[in-house]
Amino acid sequence: MPRPRKSEGFDAGKKVQDRKRHIVTDSLGHLVGLVFPGADIQDRDGAVVVLNDIRHRYPWLRHVFADAGYDGKSSRGS
């Protein structure tokens, strides 16, 4: 099934044009949230998107553990 081109982006580090997957699970592995932005989105910017997406459904969420790729300031000024 073809995917819409506007949702894809080019990841210069991996030299691929596709989409990334940003997934949040609870400590038991149950799916909490996910987003599929273009590959041109930095990981830390994708984290902002997925966390904003789940914030209204899980307002009690206070701690998130993430890979080091999500560390640092957002490059989009968020």
Side-chain angles (χ1 to χ4, degrees):
M1 176 178 212
R3 290 181 280 179
R5 289 302 232 171
K6 65 181 180 178
S7 66
E8 294 181 354
F10 186 74
D11 184 342
K14 294 182 180 175
K15 301 200 178 9
V16 295
Q17 183 158 342
D18 202 1
R19 293 185 285 178
K20 288 188 177 181
R21 294 138 195 96
H22 298 281
I23 300 170
V24 178
T25 64
D26 65 11
S27 59
L28 297 174
H30 298 124
L31 184 65
V32 174
L34 72 152
V35 294
F36 296 96
D40 57 336
I41 300 296
Q42 294 293 321
D43 286 344
R44 60 187 164 264
D45 296 329
V48 172
V49 174
V50 72
L51 292 174
N52 283 335
D53 186 52
I54 67 170
R55 185 178 10 187
H56 70 281
R57 287 181 286 172
Y58 303 96
W60 59 87
L61 186 64
R62 295 290 177 248
H63 300 280
V64 176
F65 298 95
D67 184 84
Y70 291 98
D71 194 20
K73 285 192 168 197
S74 174
S75 62
R76 294 185 182 247
S78 296

